[in-house]
Amino acid sequence: MKAKILTILLLSVFTINAQNFTGKATYKTHRKVDIKVSNDKGAPSNDVQKQFHEQIRKMHQKTYTLNFNKSESTYKQEAKLSAPQSQSGVQIQILGSGGGTDILYKNIGEKRYVNKKEISGKRFLIQDKLPDLGWEMTEETKNIGKYTCYKATRSREEEKHNFSISEGGKEDEKKEVIIIKTTAWYTVEIPVSNGPGMHWGLPGLILEIQEGKKTVVCSEIVLNPINAIEIKEPTKGKKVNQEKFDKIMDEKTKEMMERFKNKRKSKDGGSFSIEIQG
């Protein structure tokens, strides 16, 4: 009964106060990453492994800006200077990470989104419906900055792919279904049903997300700024739905693995495997 009363009260606050509301929220991300490197012939030295780990860690330290009103938002990574090339020659590429060129537009009122992403120099415009995330709200609270936040949780299944290439070019792919648990902390003091990335659907702005080993935390909020916030829906790019884009990503991943395999074949000396968790 208490949970039902809490839900009704929160929804009432949202309905009453969400008029003519605009704001800008800054989010910072980080991820705990565990890296395991085999000791097979050809494996990198300890110094190279440390540099590799540091590059992975920094790649997940990003800053995003969410511009929002009561029904729309844009979510974009802040542009930053490219990291200097490692002296070890270790290069890391995350497929589908367009950095400052990607823009996620969400229309909460119409329950749809448009995600502009760039892959290998090609621009895509992913248009689809916002998924129902099925949040379970609780009465647990904590403070984030000056805001009182409520806790909500959800779980989902995700298929995990592990690729490895051994000496001689033999490929090994393992698939397993894992459970991803997500915890959100939202505040009804900012009555917009929005949040970082694809997160939405709660009766207040989400200020923190803990999803697996990834954490997203709001570091700054500006409400109703003097300079009006302009929210534009991206329109340029090849139009696809999410299912079609996922298939394109699978194909690109296979191409990248094939290039890696060919490079390993062209080099003398054994092989090694790297396992990244998180």
Side-chain angles (χ1 to χ4, degrees):
M1 178 62 72
K2 288 184 179 179
K4 291 182 179 179
I5 294 174
L6 174 65
T7 301
I8 294 172
L9 289 174
L10 295 180
L11 289 174
S12 298
V13 172
F14 175 78
T15 303
I16 294 171
N17 295 326
Q19 304 300 319
N20 301 321
F21 208 81
T22 63
K24 174 182 177 181
T26 302
Y27 293 88
K28 295 186 180 297
T29 70
H30 68 272
R31 182 192 294 268
K32 182 180 178 182
V33 179
D34 298 322
I35 300 177
K36 297 179 180 179
V37 182
S38 69
N39 293 320
D40 299 336
K41 181 181 178 181
S45 66
N46 289 335
D47 288 341
V48 172
Q49 290 183 35
K50 289 179 181 178
Q51 291 182 33
F52 182 80
H53 190 282
E54 184 65 13
Q55 286 188 53
I56 290 288
R57 185 183 66 82
K58 288 183 177 180
M59 287 180 72
H60 289 291
Q61 291 179 337
K62 300 178 180 179
T63 302
Y64 291 86
T65 299
L66 179 74
N67 289 327
F68 60 87
N69 57 35
K70 66 179 182 179
S71 61
E72 297 175 285
S73 68
T74 56
Y75 189 67
K76 183 178 180 181
Q77 182 184 341
E78 289 188 3
K80 62 180 181 180
L81 296 175
S82 299
Q85 183 173 347
S86 170
Q87 294 181 355
S88 67
V90 176
Q91 295 298 314
I92 304 169
Q93 179 183 3
I94 297 180
L95 191 62
S97 178
T101 63
D102 293 351
I103 300 175
L104 172 61
Y105 167 86
K106 298 201 295 282
N107 190 312
I108 305 300
E110 299 176 2
K111 295 185 178 180
R112 65 181 180 88
Y113 68 93
V114 178
N115 196 359
K116 182 176 78 70
K117 296 186 75 68
E118 189 169 313
I119 301 176
S120 303
K122 189 171 184 179
R123 187 177 299 169
F124 291 89
L125 207 62
I126 309 162
Q127 300 174 320
D128 220 319
K129 296 179 180 179
L130 281 170
D132 182 2
L133 300 182
W135 293 107
E136 295 184 10
M137 294 188 289
T138 74
E139 296 182 67
E140 186 176 344
T141 65
K142 76 172 183 177
N143 291 333
I144 298 178
K146 66 178 182 179
Y147 298 100
T148 299
C149 296
Y150 292 86
K151 180 181 179 180
T153 62
R154 63 181 292 260
S155 298
R156 61 181 173 85
E157 290 186 348
E158 183 177 283
E159 190 176 65
K160 181 181 179 182
H161 295 253
N162 293 320
F163 295 93
S164 64
I165 300 176
S166 60
E167 188 172 3
K170 182 181 178 181
E171 296 181 46
D172 184 26
E173 178 182 355
K174 296 180 181 179
K175 297 180 181 180
E176 62 175 323
V177 176
I178 59 175
I179 303 298
I180 303 295
K181 295 183 178 180
T182 303
T183 298
W185 293 92
Y186 65 96
T187 178
V188 296
E189 296 170 47
I190 306 177
V192 292
S193 183
N194 217 321
M198 288 293 293
H199 301 290
W200 75 290
L202 289 167
L205 183 66
I206 299 172
L207 299 190
E208 182 177 315
I209 287 287
Q210 297 168 355
E211 190 168 41
K213 295 184 179 181
K214 180 179 180 180
T215 302
V216 184
V217 181
C218 184
S219 60
E220 183 181 14
I221 298 175
V222 180
L223 300 178
N224 297 319
I226 296 175
N227 296 325
I229 290 178
E230 187 176 16
I231 298 175
K232 290 185 177 182
E233 178 178 344
T235 57
K236 295 182 179 180
K238 181 180 179 180
K239 296 180 181 179
V240 295
N241 60 20
Q242 190 65 56
E243 183 179 2
K244 176 64 176 178
F245 182 76
D246 290 343
K247 290 181 180 179
I248 294 172
M249 285 292 291
D250 287 341
E251 292 173 359
K252 293 292 184 182
T253 300
K254 290 178 181 178
E255 291 175 6
M256 187 168 64
M257 291 299 297
E258 186 66 25
R259 289 196 299 269
F260 178 77
K261 182 181 68 174
N262 291 334
K263 286 182 180 180
R264 294 300 304 166
K265 282 183 178 181
S266 65
K267 294 180 179 180
D268 296 328
S271 62
F272 62 92
S273 62
I274 298 177
E275 180 182 351
I276 302 176
Q277 300 179 341

